[in-house]
Amino acid sequence: MRVLVVGSGGREHALAWKLLQSARVQEVFCIPGNGGTAKLARCRNLALAISDFEGIGRFALVNNIALTVIGPEAPLADGITDYLQQQNLMVFGPTQAGAQIESSKAWAKALMQDANIPTAKAEVFTDAAEAIAYVKVQGVPIVIKADGLAAGKGVAVAMTLEEAIDAIDTCFGGQFGTAGQRLVIEEYLTGQEASVLAVTDGLTIRPLLPAQDYKQIGDGDTGANTGGMGAYAPTPIVPPALMERIQQDILEPAIATLRQREIDYRGVLYAGLMITPSGDPKVIEFNCRFGDPETQAILPLLETPLDMVMMACIQQRLDQLPPLIWKSGAAACVVMAAGGYPGTYKKGLPLRGIEQAESRGALVFHAGTKIKQQQLVTDGGRVLGVTAVGESFKEAIAQAYSAIGCIQFEGMYYRRDIGHRIL
Ligand SMILES: Nc1ncnc2c1ncn2[C@@H]1O[C@H](COP(=O)(O)OP(=O)(O)O)[C@@H](O)[C@H]1O
Ligand SMILES: [Mg+2]
C-alpha cells in the first residue's frame, strides 16, 4: 500500500520511518515533509501546504493512497479528516468535532466534567473583570489557559496575582487571536507529568507505552517552554497498575462520552497527565494527535506494524487486533535545536555528521531541516531528534548522547539532562 503522511516535524519523520518498516507499505509520501523524509528510502516529499485539503485529496485519489495519516493538530481542527472522508479516503485522525478535545480547552474541560474524569477544578470566562475577580477569590498559584490552539504558548502558570492578571489581560488583549477570547482558569496541580498516548477506533481504546517529555529549554527544567526538548519511554512514573487506572478512569470514559456526543473518534487520543504526590492521575489536557517528541521515543519500541494498528482504528476493529507488541528496554530522544530557540534563530545552516551518528545505531529524526541545492540545512527551531533504543535507560541515553557528539551545525543547542529524572 501507499501511505500519505501530513506534516513536517520529527513526529512525521518517525511516522514515515515506522510505516515503511511494514511489509505492506511500499511507499510513503510526506506533505510537505522535511530533509529527513526526503532522504528516507521509498519516501517522497510533496510540495503541498497542509492547509490545501483539496490538493491533498486530489493527490491521494489519483495516486491510490490507501491510508492518510495526519500529524499535527491544526489541520485536524480545521476538518481535514471530514474533508478526506467525504472523498472516501481512509484517514487516521479524528474529525473536526473530535479534534475539539484539543482545539478548545473549555470544551475538553466540560467533557471531562461530564465523564467524571479526574482533572483540575476549573471555570470558563469570556470577560476579564470576572476572570480577575475569580482569581482574587481562588488565590495563587493558579493556571490561566487560552481556550484555543496557541502553539503551546497559551498557558500561564501564575505564581502571583500580578502574573495571573497579566495572563488574563494578555489573553483578552488579543495576543492569541480568537484562541484567547475565552479562557479556562484552573486549579494548580503539583506532581510529575506524563504523556499517555492511546489509539482508538471510537469504541476500543488501547494505550501505547507511557512517555515523559521535557518542555523547558534549559537543563534542570529551567527557562522558556518549547515544543519539547526530549522524551523517553516507557516512563516508570506510569507503572502497569497505574496504566490500568488511566485506562479505566480516563481513556474509556473519554471515548464513551465522545460517543454520547455522537462523535466517532478514530485516531490518537493523547492524555497529558499530572501524577499527583498521592499517586493519582489527573488530566492536564487532551491532544488529538501523536505527541512530538514523545512519538520519536515510542515508535522505535513498537514491534506491531503501525499500518495494521491504524487500519484497525479506521475500520473500527481494534478489539480484534492482537495485543500490541513492544521491544524490551527503553528509548530516549534528545532534540537538537537551533541556537536562540524558542526565541529567534538562524535557518539555512549546513548540518554535518548525521551518517556517523546513524552508524552508531542512533535514529536521527529530522524536524526543521530541508535539502537546499542538494545540501542538508537547518530550517526550523527544533532541528533533529536524536533517538536511541537500549536494553536499559542508561544505555539508550548514553547512545543518544554519543550519537549527538557526531553531529554539528552552527549554534546547535541541546539539553544535557534528558533522562536524568529516571537515572
Ligand atoms: N492545572 C495545572 N497545574 C499545574 N501546571 C499546569 C496545569 N495545567 C497546565 N500546566 C502546565 O502547563 C503546561 C501546558 O499546559 P497544557 O494544558 O498542556 O497546554 P498546552 O500544551 O496546550 O500549552 C503543562 O504541561 C503543565 O506543565
Ligand atoms: Mg500540553
Side-chain angles (χ1 to χ4, degrees):
M1 64 199 261
R2 301 166 110 189
V3 180
L4 191 59
V5 173
V6 175
S8 63
R11 165 182 52 209
E12 286 76 18
H13 186 179
L15 286 166
W17 167 83
K18 188 76 221 172
L19 285 161
L20 280 163
Q21 287 184 346
S22 165
R24 278 173 305 277
V25 177
Q26 294 163 334
E27 207 174 2
V28 171
F29 298 91
C30 282
I31 293 179
N34 59 36
T37 54
K39 290 173 76 162
L40 193 60
R42 293 183 289 134
C43 184
R44 267 169 50 197
N45 288 349
L46 297 168
L48 284 174
I50 63 174
S51 55
D52 181 5
F53 296 176
E54 258 182 66
I56 294 170
R58 207 174 311 122
F59 178 86
L61 288 174
V62 170
N63 292 278
N64 258 316
I65 298 294
L67 165 65
T68 300
V69 181
I70 313 299
E73 62 278 15
L76 292 167
D78 290 340
I80 192 169
T81 298
D82 310 66
Y83 179 84
L84 297 177
Q85 278 177 351
Q86 279 158 22
Q87 327 272 315
N88 289 319
L89 291 162
M90 300 285 212
V91 193
F92 184 80
T95 58
Q96 186 167 38
Q100 287 179 97
I101 204 157
E102 174 164 4
S103 68
S104 168
K105 290 193 189 291
W107 192 90
K109 187 60 83 171
L111 180 118
M112 287 185 247
Q113 287 165 345
D114 278 4
N116 240 328
I117 290 172
T119 184
K121 193 182 98 181
E123 294 281 341
V124 177
F125 294 90
T126 51
D127 176 82
E130 281 172 28
I132 291 168
Y134 177 77
V135 166
K136 284 184 175 158
V137 172
Q138 297 297 313
V140 287
I142 197 154
V143 183
I144 318 288
K145 301 186 172 188
D147 178 51
L149 295 181
K153 297 189 169 64
V155 172
V157 177
M159 303 311 283
T160 65
L161 189 59
E162 287 85 73
E163 279 171 32
I165 293 172
D166 258 12
I168 292 167
D169 288 340
T170 305
C171 262
F172 287 125
Q175 177 94 1
F176 307 114
T178 51
Q181 281 169 10
R182 198 153 52 143
L183 50 81
V184 178
I185 302 188
E186 72 179 36
E187 172 198 1
Y188 172 77
L189 301 173
T190 56
Q192 285 260 31
E193 286 183 57
S195 305
V196 171
L197 281 67
V199 289
T200 178
D201 63 2
L203 297 173
T204 303
I205 184 157
R206 289 203 188 168
L208 307 181
L209 290 181
Q212 202 177 32
D213 73 341
Y214 288 73
K215 294 180 211 305
Q216 280 168 284
I217 188 74
D219 284 359
D221 297 329
T222 53
N225 267 335
T226 69
M229 294 303 292
Y232 68 88
T235 177
I237 290 165
V238 183
L242 183 56
M243 187 60 104
E244 200 60 40
R245 273 182 69 193
I246 292 166
Q247 170 88 16
Q248 274 175 28
D249 299 347
I250 294 171
L251 301 177
E252 305 270 4
I255 286 302
T257 308
L258 285 164
R259 221 168 37 238
Q260 272 169 19
R261 296 182 180 197
E262 290 178 4
I263 293 172
D264 189 357
Y265 191 107
R266 305 185 193 192
V268 169
L269 182 64
Y270 162 148
L273 302 171
M274 187 72 91
I275 313 301
T276 63
S278 54
D280 299 314
K282 291 195 174 181
V283 177
I284 290 182
E285 66 163 347
F286 282 117
N287 291 323
C288 65
R289 35 80 195 173
F290 284 101
D292 191 348
E294 292 95 325
T295 302
Q296 301 173 55
I298 294 170
L299 290 184
L301 294 169
L302 179 67
E303 296 268 22
T304 309
L306 184 58
D307 63 301
M308 264 175 63
V309 179
M310 291 176 161
M311 289 307 289
C313 289
I314 295 171
Q315 296 174 333
Q316 207 161 62
R317 47 176 178 74
L318 192 57
D319 59 329
Q320 287 154 46
L321 190 78
L324 299 179
I325 302 167
W326 299 96
K327 284 193 174 63
S328 63
C333 167
V334 180
V335 170
M336 299 184 78
Y341 173 80
T344 53
Y345 52 82
K346 284 194 205 165
K347 285 185 183 180
L349 306 167
L351 287 140
R352 274 179 220 95
I354 291 177
E355 286 79 13
Q356 287 92 305
E358 286 169 339
S359 70
R360 295 201 179 182
L363 297 161
V364 180
F365 295 122
H366 295 225
T369 74
K370 69 172 181 186
I371 309 237
K372 191 180 166 191
Q373 290 156 355
Q374 287 162 28
Q375 198 187 20
L376 186 70
V377 297
T378 68
D379 193 39
R382 291 192 294 169
V383 177
L384 302 171
V386 181
T387 304
V389 174
E391 278 307 314
S392 65
F393 275 115
K394 215 173 157 180
E395 199 186 304
I397 291 159
Q399 267 202 51
Y401 279 107
S402 142
I404 277 188
C406 303
I407 299 174
Q408 277 195 324
F409 56 93
E410 188 195 309
M412 66 187 196
Y413 170 83
Y414 56 91
R415 277 182 65 164
R416 319 265 158 167
D417 65 344
I418 302 304
H420 76 277
R421 291 187 200 131
I422 32 164
L423 296 181

